[in-house]
């Protein structure tokens, strides 16, 4: 839990949604919620972001532009954590998190207790990933807990190309080589050889361990530790 109240900025142009979220959090004395009545994250004044710890927004109202919007805001305000609320399918949720740099996702129907817990964890520098998403990667998450915490000077991830990042993201979301190849417009053999190169560069012994490294880098690195499986399943 953060030492001072978590400052939350809700970005949504629907006053009813803001009132619903505020009602859910009204009994939480360590959470202060504000509201920016904007539909797009790019339209929020910089001063609002500067005085927030966690930004909450609805993925269902942003569409495919959400990942780019979050990335742009995070590039200017590195201290911000994003909690995405929505009702997307599993793969879409994973794609949103991996593409945007957001570290938190909640279903629209989640309880008030989970909403408060997610905000506290994000404000403390942690992550909040839905159990049904992590459930697909339980073996990988167990592997992640034992990954070496290398410094950025020895970090191969910083040198990955946009294509390599895209291939990794789609592989993590369960896409087959053929599907990835069609999506990015290359021959299937290019996808396979790229994955082999990535395994060599990262020290991954197989595809599952490569995915584990990728999940760690994108979702958990610089967080306040990897969540234990018990804690994940209790969320």
């Amino acid at each position: 839990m953060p030492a001072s109240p978590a400052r939350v900025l809700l970005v949504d142009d629907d006053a009813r949604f803001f009132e619903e979220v505020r009602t859910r959090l009204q009994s939480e004395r360590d959470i202060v919620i504000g509201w920016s009545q904007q539909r797009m994250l790019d339209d929020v004044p910089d001063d609002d972001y500067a005085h927030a710890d966690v930004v909450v927004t609805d993925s269902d109202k942003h569409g495919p532009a959400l990942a780019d919007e979050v990335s742009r805001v995070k590039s200017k305000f590195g201290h911000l954590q994003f909690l995405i609320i929505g009702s997307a399918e599993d793969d879409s949720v994973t794609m949103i998190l991996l593409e945007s740099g957001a570290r938190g996702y909640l279903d629209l129907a989640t309880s008030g207790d989970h909403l408060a817990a997610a905000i506290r964890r994000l404000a403390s520098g942690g992550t909040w990933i839905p159990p049904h998403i992590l459930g697909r990667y339980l073996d990988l998450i167990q592997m992640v807990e034992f990954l070496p915490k290398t410094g950025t000077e020895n970090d191969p991830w910083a040198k990955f190309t946009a294509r390599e990042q895209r291939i990794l993201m789609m592989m993590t979301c369960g896409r087959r080589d053929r599907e990835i190849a069609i999506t990015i417009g290359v021959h299937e053999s290019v996808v396979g050889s790229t994955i082999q190169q990535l395994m060599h560069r990262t020290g991954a012994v197989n595809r599952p361990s490569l995915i584990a490294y990728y999940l760690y880098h994108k979702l958990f690195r610089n967080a306040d530790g990897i969540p234990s499986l018990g804690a994940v399943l209790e969320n």
Side-chain angles (χ1 to χ4, degrees):
M1 184 180 299
S4 57
R7 302 169 300 174
V8 178
L9 177 66
L10 176 67
V11 179
D12 195 283
D13 60 355
D14 185 349
R16 292 173 299 177
F17 184 58
F18 167 63
E19 289 299 333
E20 178 184 344
V21 172
R22 185 167 66 173
T23 298
R24 290 188 179 194
L25 297 174
Q26 63 183 356
S27 62
E28 310 295 337
R29 299 193 177 188
D30 61 333
I31 296 176
V32 178
I33 183 168
W35 179 34
S36 182
Q37 194 175 3
Q38 303 292 336
R39 185 174 183 84
M40 309 301 286
L41 295 173
D42 289 335
D43 295 332
V44 177
D46 285 357
D47 192 55
D48 289 354
Y49 285 135
H51 293 89
D53 301 308
V54 179
V55 176
V56 178
T57 195
D58 183 353
S59 66
D60 294 351
K61 297 178 182 177
H62 289 264
L66 177 61
D68 288 339
E69 291 181 54
V70 172
S71 296
R72 284 193 292 270
V73 175
K74 283 186 68 66
S75 69
K76 294 179 64 176
F77 301 94
H79 72 285
L80 285 178
Q81 298 290 351
F82 281 79
L83 177 60
I84 310 301
I85 297 179
S87 58
E89 297 296 328
D90 288 4
D91 282 354
S92 297
V93 173
T94 307
M95 295 279 274
I96 288 171
L97 292 171
L98 295 179
E99 284 191 317
S100 70
R103 285 181 171 168
Y105 190 97
L106 276 177
D107 188 271
L108 280 168
T110 193
S111 71
D113 288 345
H114 284 179
L115 177 59
I119 288 171
R120 292 189 184 100
R121 182 160 182 83
L122 288 167
S124 298
T127 62
W128 190 274
I129 312 300
H132 68 283
I133 300 299
L134 289 181
R136 302 177 60 194
Y137 306 112
L138 280 180
D139 290 340
L140 300 179
I141 299 303
Q142 285 179 305
M143 196 183 303
V144 167
E145 292 179 336
F146 297 99
L147 293 179
K149 311 303 188 292
T150 58
T152 54
E153 68 280 1
N154 299 316
D155 187 3
W157 303 93
K159 300 178 181 178
F160 282 2
T161 66
R163 175 191 284 182
E164 290 169 338
Q165 292 275 5
R166 188 74 177 171
I167 289 174
L168 270 170
M169 181 181 65
M170 288 191 285
M171 183 178 70
T172 300
C173 291
R175 302 292 192 266
R176 298 179 181 275
D177 288 8
R178 175 175 165 76
E179 295 176 282
I180 297 173
I182 292 173
T183 300
I184 66 176
V186 300
H187 193 274
E188 185 175 346
S189 63
V190 174
V191 175
S193 62
T194 299
I195 292 173
Q196 288 297 319
Q197 293 171 14
L198 295 177
M199 288 169 54
H200 175 73
R201 286 160 57 187
T202 59
V205 296
N206 51 31
R207 290 193 179 205
S209 61
L210 178 61
I211 293 173
Y213 272 100
Y214 184 61
L215 286 172
Y216 168 70
H217 174 78
K218 296 295 287 187
L219 299 181
F220 301 114
R221 193 182 183 115
N222 298 324
D224 61 343
I226 306 301
S228 68
L229 290 179
V232 165
L233 296 175
E234 289 174 2
N235 289 346

